[in-house]
Amino acid sequence: MSAATTRSRTPRTPDRLCVEAVELARAAAEEAAFPGVVGAHVSAVAEGDRVVTHFFESKEPGYRGWRWAVTVTRASRAKNVTLDETVLLPGDDALLAPEWVPWSERLRPGDMGPGDLLPTDAEDLRLEPGWSGEDTPPPNSVVSTEMAELVEAEDADVTDRAVVPVRGSITSVAEELGMRRARVLSRYGLHGAADRWDDSFGAKTPMAQAAPASCVSCGFLVAIGGSLGQAFGVCANEFSPADGRLVSLAYGCGGHSEAAVMPAPLRPAPPVLDSMASDEFILRPAADTGSVPVSDLPAADLGHS
């Protein structure tokens, strides 16, 4: 490890002659870069006994916050300071590139396009060894050695040059039965796939919560084989939002095949109060409708009209 990157945990007293060798350090930095790029002297840090690193500002475009680090040293009892190394290092406020992430961790569903090849790790937890017998590929390999060499070759057509098994061999029989696979889904891979599918088209989705019934009783459900067929199927209703998708048997939508013949939901009884009729209220009764004749009333002024 270089002296410029290894710092002592205990403070040291900088060597006087090494600290004074600023011009020697600047000349070394300018030789590594070119004149005009090395800026002002920032500091001098003791790296060890008679070892000092001089830091200079960097004026290189695109290297904002970086510093030229020049380490100088001298031998014991010697007066001549010599150059150790020169390197460009990032400072505290340096502009750095994002941390590199392997492609396998950057890959997301939907990133693959036409012509893309996605190699699968030999230790992928989603897979486990499949059928093994004669003419089997090497352990934990997706394709045989010959096929792998074709894949590595540029513009190789691996589909047309696939190795055909000998008729009558165990491999050919296994291929007819759909068993000729170097690896198959492991229990971990099955559970991971089931969790993803259940999140998109499962019983907890809003569509399933409002559905009249679940997909397990729907005539548009296409059954699938394998262990996943006990919990999932393919929707074949063109009007369903899950058409052509793998759905949970507990999923459901308004396009259920028996939605039209299902019992109608209970409706409340009609109200007893008839609000459609109207009652007549007479604001000014007729003069001849009272119990006292109008002629018998006194003609006194009651103070109002």
Side-chain angles (χ1 to χ4, degrees):
M1 187 176 293
S2 63
T5 57
T6 56
R7 303 284 180 85
S8 175
R9 296 183 179 180
T10 58
R12 298 177 180 271
T13 302
D15 183 76
R16 182 179 60 84
L17 295 179
C18 291
V19 171
E20 293 176 353
V22 177
E23 295 303 324
L24 174 64
R26 178 181 293 276
E30 291 181 350
E31 182 180 358
F34 54 87
V37 174
V38 182
H41 183 266
V42 178
S43 62
V45 179
E47 305 286 358
D49 296 336
R50 297 178 300 279
V51 179
V52 174
T53 298
H54 292 271
F55 291 94
F56 300 89
E57 293 180 353
S58 175
K59 296 183 179 180
E60 181 76 23
Y63 285 85
R64 185 188 65 191
W66 289 63
R67 301 178 300 176
W68 285 99
V70 181
T71 304
V72 296
T73 184
R74 68 180 182 89
S76 177
R77 300 179 183 179
K79 295 183 179 180
N80 295 330
V81 179
T82 58
L83 178 66
D84 189 356
E85 70 169 355
T86 304
V87 65
L88 184 62
L89 297 177
D92 297 335
D93 58 342
L95 182 62
L96 302 176
E99 183 179 357
W100 182 79
V101 180
W103 69 266
S104 57
E105 298 180 12
R106 299 195 307 266
L107 193 65
R108 293 293 180 268
D111 289 348
M112 288 189 60
D116 294 340
L117 295 179
L118 177 60
T120 305
D121 187 19
E123 304 297 332
D124 196 322
L125 297 178
R126 300 172 300 172
L127 299 173
E128 62 184 8
W131 173 82
S132 60
E134 65 174 16
D135 302 330
T136 57
N140 294 331
S141 66
V142 180
V143 294
S144 63
T145 305
E146 298 179 2
M147 293 283 286
E149 294 176 354
L150 294 177
V151 172
E152 294 178 358
E154 184 177 2
D155 298 332
D157 188 359
V158 298
T159 57
D160 295 338
R161 302 177 60 182
V163 179
V164 179
V166 180
R167 183 175 180 82
S169 63
I170 298 178
T171 303
S172 62
V173 176
E175 185 175 14
E176 293 180 4
L177 298 177
M179 299 171 56
R180 192 190 179 195
R181 290 184 292 173
R183 289 187 290 179
V184 295
L185 274 174
S186 63
R187 183 171 297 274
Y188 175 82
L190 289 172
H191 281 274
D195 290 341
R196 292 194 308 272
W197 299 338
D198 193 69
D199 289 341
S200 301
F201 297 98
K204 296 182 180 180
T205 58
M207 181 66 72
Q209 295 290 334
S214 58
C215 293
V216 68
S217 59
C218 182
F220 293 108
L221 182 75
V222 179
I224 62 174
S227 58
L228 289 175
Q230 301 176 11
F232 295 93
V234 179
C235 178
N237 188 348
E238 60 179 324
F239 301 107
S240 172
D243 180 36
R245 305 293 187 88
L246 209 63
V247 297
S248 170
L249 298 183
Y251 180 75
C253 69
H256 194 281
S257 61
E258 311 305 322
V261 297
M262 289 181 178
L266 296 178
R267 295 184 179 181
V272 178
L273 177 63
D274 185 6
S275 59
M276 299 301 294
S278 61
D279 296 331
E280 181 179 358
F281 293 93
I282 302 176
L283 298 180
R284 295 183 181 275
D288 56 349
T289 59
S291 59
V292 179
V294 179
S295 59
D296 296 341
L297 293 177
D301 188 5
L302 299 178
H304 57 83
S305 59

